[in-house]
Every structure is written in C-alpha cells, then in structure tokens.
Amino acid sequence: SKEEFSCPVCCDIFRDPVLLSCSHSVCRTCLQQFWETKGSQECPVCRRRSSKSDPPCNRALKNLCEAFLESRSQRASAEFEVLCSLHNEKLKLFCLEDQQPVCVVCNLSKAHKNHNCCPIDEANKLKTSLERLQQNLKALEEVKQTCDETAAHIKCQAQHTERQIKEEFEKLHQFLRDEESARIAALKEEEEQKSHMMRRKIEEMNGEIESLSDQIRNLQKEMEAEDILFLPEPEKVSALLINVAKHLSSLKFRVWENMQKILQYTPVTLDPNTAHPHLHLSDDLTTAECRPQTSLLPDNPERFEVYPCVLGSEGFNSGTHCWDVDVGGSEYWALGVIRESESRKGSSVWDSVWSLHYSKSSNEYWISCPGQADHVLTPTEKLQRVRVQLDWDRGKVTFTDLITSSHLHTITHTFTDTVFPIIYSYSSPFPALYIVVCSL
C-alpha cells in the first residue's frame, strides 16, 4: 500500500530515503529540515539521536518506491481498457470531436457517425503529449513569474543600492565640506590675528611718526647746535604675512589622511544575492541577522535554499586572506570556505565546505571537512570572535580565538578551485542574534 512507502514527515512517497541508526527511514530533505527546526539530530519517529550527521541512503527502500510508482503508473494506463457501457465492447477508439473513448459499434452509430476517431493508443499518446506540453507551459509560466519577480527585485535592488551610494557619498561630501570650513576658519583666524597685529603696529608707527615729526621741528630750530641726537632706524617686522604654504601645502594629501580616520576597510563583504531568505543583511553588507522572511526574494541559482547561509562577494584562488567574525550572539553557526562550483539548492552543500561549527543545544564545537570524520574541539572558553585565515597556495584554513589569541585548528587541503567565504547562522525562534564580519 501507499502508506508502506510513505515518509513519516511529508507523508508522500519516499524521495531519496536515508536509513537512521534506529532503523527508521526518512526523506533526506525532510530529515535535514527537521534537524534544522529541532536544532538536534533526532529521529522524527522515535526521537532517538542519530550517530551520523549524513545518514546513508536506503537503496532497497528507494528501489521499492520506484517500482511502486511504476506499477501505479501502469495500473493507471490499464484503466483505459474498460468496456463500453452501451455495447459491452472494448473502448479501442477515441472520438476527437466528443473527446471520449468509444467502441467500434459506437463509431458506426448515429451518435458518432462522420466523427474523426483514432485508436485509443494514439489518443493516449496525444494525451501524454498534451500533458507534457501543459507541463512545459506551466513550467514556462513559473519561469516567467520568477523572471517578473527577479526584474522587480532588480529594480528594488538598484534603487536601494543607489540610495546607499548617495548616502555614502553624502558622508564624504559632508566630510569635505567640514574640512573646507575648518581650513577656511583657520585661515580667517590667522588673517584676523595678523591683521590685528598690523593695526596695532600701524598705530605704534603713527605714534612714532608723530613723535619724530615733533623732534624734526625741534631739530630744525637747533640746526646750528653741534650735539645732535640721532634716533635708531625703526625695526622692520617679520612673519606678518599669511602663511599660505601652511594652508595649501599637500592640501589634498592631508585631507586624504584625515579622511582615513573615518573610513573602515572590511576584508569580506557579504553577497545578498546568495543569502538565504531568513538571513537579513545590514546596509553595509557586514552583518547577517537570522529572522523570518519579510519580503519576497527571487529564487536565483546563487541563493541558498535549505541552509541559512551567505557567501562573501569575492572568491579566492591564490594568496593569503584573513577575516574576523563576531559569533557571540548566534545559537548555531559555521564559518569557513566553500567550493565555487557547489550547488546552493540541495542538502549536499556541506560536501564542499571546510568549516568550524558550533551547536548551542549540544554545546559542541567541531571541524568539518569533505570526506573526513568530524573533529571535535574543546576551547577553554565560549568563542565570541573567530579569525578565519585562508592560505590558498599552501592549502591551509586556520581558525583562531581572537579573545584569548589561541589557535583552534588548521585544516590542510590542496585547493584547485576558487573558494568563497561562507557563513551559516541559525537561531530559533528567530531572536535578534547577529553574526558580523569585522575588519582587521
């Protein structure tokens, strides 16, 4: 019966069933979704904890399910060979005008006389072809709907990105305006100081000129006197002009130096086109918050479908790269690198990921590598901030606890493909927990 071949989770015929250590079988996709919801590797039937994170395929059950589906399809095809209710003959023909099966006698009767009929086998083929065309039409309509949604999302993305660009440049413009105002204010202040100094000096000079004029008049009366007192020449004042060089020397360079104080470099920028719908990214694309989906996102090939993951926007195929991640607020997280060619849609994502994992429910840390058993870690304190360092050329991925400056683990692997930084973050039931990519 159908119940014997039905998954206990989705209640449908098994698709890619896996065998748990407790001998129960579940669809692979259903099991992964159940584990993500529960936060632990339990059997959906008996709640016994599974000893394997990737249970093997139940090939015997899979073959039986495929045979069951094929048998059901054959029985459905055999239903066409029923007898005519009027003449008790097999329905071997199909009336194209009345769109119903008929027997040979019906074909000669008045009801179907002069109607176009064909063998029912051909009609079944036509029906099959029609169903395929209808399926293709439905698929095209779904693709068109996805394209329409993607086009609308692209427009929203462009508007949002344009607004962010304008905001960032407005900050730079405001910084330059502030710099300009500060430097002009400094110039005005120096101008006022030196102008005040000159006015005072001019007043002093006017007093001295008047005093000298009086002395000249007195001297003119005493021209014949032998002892004439000559005053020293007035001292010339230096450094009274505006220090133009101070205000203009390397002006652009010094403004650029000050600008660096307000700028922050982030080695990894998250790619919103890859983010799972439950991961909300900050405007600067450095923070991923796990929360329910609030807007419709297109199901593009780059976007993760099963796991709440997001990738960095830039892939690496050479050199050494390093980024810090704040993981203190997340209940379940994973950090590492993933092969570029790995599909984002299935449950086999972790087959191409070199990563460090954490589970709050089991309070465990472990290293996961393709084709290898998990390696359990026992850090002395709960990890709050982790540094991921990729040395692509030497084939190393190193994890470091930045709080205690202690080395956690180094994965060794010979990389041949481009890899991307990957972040997994899951929290239930979606509290405001964050995972942040920090600058170095």
Side-chain angles (χ1 to χ4, degrees):
S1 64
K2 177 181 178 181
E3 288 74 15
E4 295 178 283
F5 299 103
S6 298
C7 171
V9 177
C10 65
C11 299
D12 201 355
I13 302 299
F14 282 107
R15 293 169 295 175
D16 191 16
V18 296
L19 182 64
L20 299 176
S21 55
C22 58
S23 299
H24 290 119
S25 294
V26 188
C27 292
R28 186 181 298 274
T29 302
C30 296
L31 181 64
Q32 293 295 339
Q33 293 177 349
F34 179 80
W35 283 357
E36 289 179 12
T37 303
K38 292 290 293 182
S40 61
Q41 298 180 356
E42 297 179 358
C43 172
V45 180
C46 64
R47 294 301 191 267
R48 180 178 174 182
R49 183 175 177 83
S50 174
S51 60
K52 298 180 179 180
S53 60
D54 187 14
C57 175
N58 191 338
R59 298 192 180 278
L61 180 58
K62 183 177 181 181
N63 294 336
L64 287 173
C65 290
E66 292 176 352
F68 174 77
L69 292 173
E70 183 178 357
S71 175
R72 189 170 64 176
S73 175
Q74 291 175 353
R75 289 198 303 270
S77 300
E79 292 178 358
F80 284 104
E81 297 184 0
V82 295
L83 299 178
C84 175
S85 60
L86 295 177
H87 308 105
N88 203 29
E89 296 284 342
K90 287 186 177 180
L91 300 175
K92 295 183 177 181
L93 300 175
F94 188 83
C95 181
L96 298 176
E97 297 187 21
D98 293 332
Q99 290 292 303
Q100 65 179 37
V102 296
C103 67
V104 177
V105 180
C106 290
N107 185 36
L108 300 175
S109 66
K110 184 178 179 180
H112 297 280
K113 190 176 182 180
N114 299 326
H115 285 185
N116 291 327
C117 295
C118 68
I120 197 166
D121 292 339
E122 294 183 9
N124 289 337
K125 292 180 180 178
L126 291 174
K127 183 179 180 181
T128 302
S129 299
L130 178 61
E131 290 176 350
R132 290 178 180 175
L133 290 175
Q134 289 174 339
Q135 292 175 356
N136 290 339
L137 177 60
K138 183 179 180 181
L140 287 173
E141 290 175 345
E142 291 177 352
V143 172
K144 180 181 179 300
Q145 181 180 359
T146 301
C147 290
D148 292 339
E149 295 173 354
T150 303
H153 185 68
I154 289 173
K155 186 175 182 180
C156 293
Q157 270 190 316
Q159 293 174 347
H160 181 69
T161 306
E162 179 181 354
R163 183 167 60 253
Q164 288 181 270
I165 291 174
K166 289 182 178 180
E167 290 175 357
E168 291 301 317
F169 271 93
E170 176 57 30
K171 293 177 183 178
L172 295 177
H173 294 159
Q174 186 59 47
F175 172 82
L176 292 176
R177 286 193 292 268
D178 293 342
E179 280 286 312
E180 179 186 9
S181 299
R183 293 181 182 279
I184 291 178
L187 174 62
K188 293 294 185 183
E189 182 180 359
E190 183 179 352
E191 178 190 12
E192 179 62 28
Q193 291 176 350
K194 294 193 172 179
S195 296
H196 177 72
M197 187 185 302
M198 287 304 301
R199 287 194 298 269
R200 188 176 60 188
K201 193 67 177 177
I202 290 173
E203 290 176 358
E204 293 176 356
M205 296 297 293
N206 287 334
E208 292 180 3
I209 289 173
E210 184 176 355
S211 176
L212 286 175
S213 297
D214 292 339
Q215 292 183 20
I216 289 172
R217 285 193 296 271
N218 293 332
L219 286 174
Q220 286 177 345
K221 296 178 181 179
E222 301 176 1
M223 286 293 291
E224 295 178 357
E226 294 182 2
D227 298 329
I228 301 174
L229 179 63
F230 291 96
L231 295 176
E233 293 185 1
E235 180 182 359
K236 294 182 179 180
V237 182
S238 62
L240 289 179
L241 297 181
I242 296 294
N243 190 348
V244 177
K246 182 185 73 173
H247 297 285
L248 297 182
S249 175
S250 303
L251 177 60
K252 295 178 182 178
F253 177 78
R254 289 192 286 119
V255 171
W256 174 75
E257 277 188 321
N258 291 336
M259 186 179 292
Q260 291 185 88
K261 299 175 183 178
I262 67 169
L263 301 179
Q264 184 179 23
Y265 170 70
T266 302
V268 172
T269 299
L270 303 179
D271 185 357
N273 294 334
T274 66
H276 186 276
H278 286 163
L279 285 184
H280 177 75
L281 305 187
S282 60
D283 287 341
D284 60 359
L285 304 179
T286 62
T287 302
E289 177 186 1
C290 187
R291 69 188 189 190
Q293 183 177 356
T294 56
S295 60
L296 183 63
L297 298 174
D299 187 21
N300 50 302
E302 302 86 358
R303 193 177 305 282
F304 283 94
E305 179 183 48
V306 178
Y307 299 100
C309 299
V310 62
L311 299 186
S313 60
E314 181 183 359
F316 307 121
N317 56 15
S318 64
T320 301
H321 310 274
C322 188
W323 58 95
D324 300 344
V325 186
D326 185 355
V327 296
S330 188
E331 296 181 0
Y332 307 93
W333 53 262
L335 312 173
V337 294
I338 183 174
R339 187 183 292 120
E340 179 183 23
S341 57
E342 181 60 40
S343 172
R344 321 285 166 76
K345 298 303 182 185
S347 58
S348 61
V349 171
W350 300 106
D351 293 344
S352 298
V353 178
W354 296 264
S355 52
L356 165 65
H357 295 248
Y358 169 72
S359 172
K360 182 180 179 180
S361 60
S362 60
N363 194 28
E364 290 181 342
Y365 298 90
W366 68 93
I367 296 294
S368 177
C369 299
Q372 301 180 19
D374 293 344
H375 175 71
V376 178
L377 298 180
T378 56
T380 56
E381 298 180 5
K382 181 180 179 181
L383 299 181
Q384 300 290 333
R385 198 174 186 186
V386 178
R387 170 166 293 178
V388 184
Q389 181 168 327
L390 167 68
D391 190 339
W392 195 96
D393 298 324
R394 296 184 179 181
K396 293 183 179 181
V397 181
T398 302
F399 301 96
T400 305
D401 180 2
L402 289 180
I403 302 300
T404 61
S405 299
S406 58
H407 171 262
L408 297 173
H409 189 80
T410 296
I411 299 173
T412 56
H413 175 80
T414 302
F415 296 106
T416 57
D417 302 331
T418 299
V419 294
F420 281 78
I422 183 173
I423 292 176
Y424 166 90
S425 178
Y426 178 76
S427 300
S428 178
F430 301 108
L433 297 176
Y434 300 88
I435 189 160
V436 185
V437 178
C438 306
S439 59
L440 299 182

